[in-house]
């Protein structure tokens, strides 16, 4: 015959086992399905001004050989590839002349979005940490060249920009997407300003008017 204290001990052990299992499941992220991200990522929008009329009938956007695309896991969190964001600068800032035989070539030398793990913890905590602290970076480098009807170079400009920030350990998917969006905006804002400054002087021979 089972004594009461034996039944009590068994019940207590069962409760402790259940609590322990729930704790482990929570740590490992197995206690339930994670909610889907709700933050909507929107493409970067260039300001409406300034806009230059250029003495060129064609503007070509090209990617430098070997230009690397972001890791697929990062690309899935961006509204569009960084190279596309950079390339849209020409449509936002330059207007061509239909009767001109000159050309402008906008070369994207770098358009990257990268993530670098800063540190990981040791022991059991390190094994179960799914989102360690990391540094996110968006960087651009572009080259703009203007050519006359005979192919001769008439002017040029270069610009670089970047933005970085730390994603803290344990931040969720929405936090990650918000940070990527902010970094794209900061890096592209800086690229836009630097290009405006460089183009105004470097491409002066082919610039006709600004609005």
């Amino acid at each position: 015959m089972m004594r009461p204290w034996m039944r009590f001990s068994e019940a207590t052990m069962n409760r402790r086992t259940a609590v322990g299992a729930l704790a482990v499941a929570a740590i490992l992220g197995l206690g339930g399905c994670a909610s889907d991200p709700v933050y909507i990522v929107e493409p970067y929008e260039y300001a409406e001004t300034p806009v230059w009329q250029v003495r060129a009938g064609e503007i070509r956007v090209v990617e430098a050989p070997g230009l690397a695309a972001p890791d697929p896991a990062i690309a899935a969190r961006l509204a569009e590839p960084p190279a596309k964001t950079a390339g849209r600068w020409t449509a936002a800032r330059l207007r061509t002349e239909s009767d001109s035989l000159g050309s402008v070539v906008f070369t994207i030398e770098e358009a990257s979005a990268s993530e670098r793990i800063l540190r990981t913890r040791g022991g059991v905590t390190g094994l179960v940490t799914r989102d360690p602290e990391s540094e996110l970076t968006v960087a651009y480098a572009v080259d703009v060249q203007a050519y006359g009807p005979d192919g001769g170079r008439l002017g040029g400009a270069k610009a670089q920009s970047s933005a970085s920030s730390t994603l803290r350990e344990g931040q969720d998917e929405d936090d990650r997407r918000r940070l990527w969006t902010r970094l794209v905006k900061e890096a592209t804002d800086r690229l836009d300003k630097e290009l405006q400054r460089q183009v105004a002087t470097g491409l002066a021979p082919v610039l006709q008017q600004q609005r």
Side-chain angles (χ1 to χ4, degrees), residues 39 43 81 105 113 116 120 128 160 171 173 190 206 208-209:
Y39 181 74
V105 180
R116 181 173 63 90
T120 56
V128 300
Q160 295 180 335
Q171 290 189 293
E173 180 63 22
R190 293 168 186 169
V206 298
Q208 288 192 306
Q209 59 184 6

Side-chain angles (χ1 to χ4, degrees), residues 154-171:
L154 299 178
K158 286 180 173 287
Q160 295 180 335
S161 72
S162 65
S164 298
S165 189
T166 300
L167 183 71
R168 300 301 178 187
E169 181 181 312
Q171 290 189 293

